[in-house]
Amino acid sequence: LPGWTNMNSSTAASPGRWQQPRHTLNFKVKNIYQILFFLLCFVSAAGQKFSIAADKMNILYADVDNPIKIAVENYPINSIVVKTNNGKISRNDGYYTYFTNQIGTADIILYRKLNGKLKEIGRSTFRVKLIPYPTAKVGPSSGGRIQGIVLKHQQFIRADYDFIDIDVRTPIDSFTVNIIPSDTCFFKQIKNYSNKFSQELIDALSGIKKDYIVIFKEIFAKRYNGEIIELDPIYFIIRD
């Protein structure tokens, strides 16, 4: 068949033998906008209450800017000095940002100025981790059984961050799609550039039927610094 490859030929790759790509680059992002939902309160030896809020329980992320919110009872924010033993903390318009390139732990320490000296109010310890790889998704899913009509109406592939509240762009640079019918030993392979489906791919997906297998593989995404990473493939089985 024109444009289709015989799966029994020596040059055809068997879906059952495909292996998921090995990641060789750690995925990091430059900008992060975090949702503040965890508030950790302490009381110092003098009974001074304070709070330090981060996005994900007590986790901060390396190589990104982490917004944090700090408040101390009965003290204006401009009388508070904030330090850390891992990385640096900057302040801009009343907001604090934490940054480090070292994973592990970090203490964020609050001081107040007293007679020209710094007196510690209290501290909070955070875990510092690398941001995990994003997950490639098409439509509502990253794989599994999917309605044919749902897949036919998709026009883009994207990279999502599961379980982490971040807003960062990780554009898909290119990917390859294999469409494998259930009633033949031939399959169609299409190379797509950019995250938008080409007309060739849209036309090919319009003909998928029940029990077809559609595989998005060789998914390459671009990091904030221009480096390319390969994401895990997506395996779909058309259910109707």
Side-chain angles (χ1 to χ4, degrees), residues 9-25:
S9 69
S10 59
T11 58
S14 170
R17 296 174 57 189
W18 291 341
Q19 296 183 6
Q20 294 191 0
R22 297 174 61 187
H23 298 297
T24 57
L25 297 173

Side-chain angles (χ1 to χ4, degrees), residues 198-232:
S198 66
Q199 190 60 50
E200 179 187 12
L201 178 55
I202 292 173
D203 291 343
L205 290 175
S206 68
I208 58 178
K209 300 177 182 179
K210 183 179 179 181
D211 294 329
Y212 273 40
I213 297 174
V214 181
I215 303 173
F216 292 76
K217 63 175 187 173
E218 298 168 3
I219 306 168
F220 294 99
K222 185 174 291 186
R223 298 174 43 161
Y224 69 93
N225 60 359
E227 290 183 288
I228 302 296
I229 60 171
E230 185 176 358
L231 306 183
D232 288 338

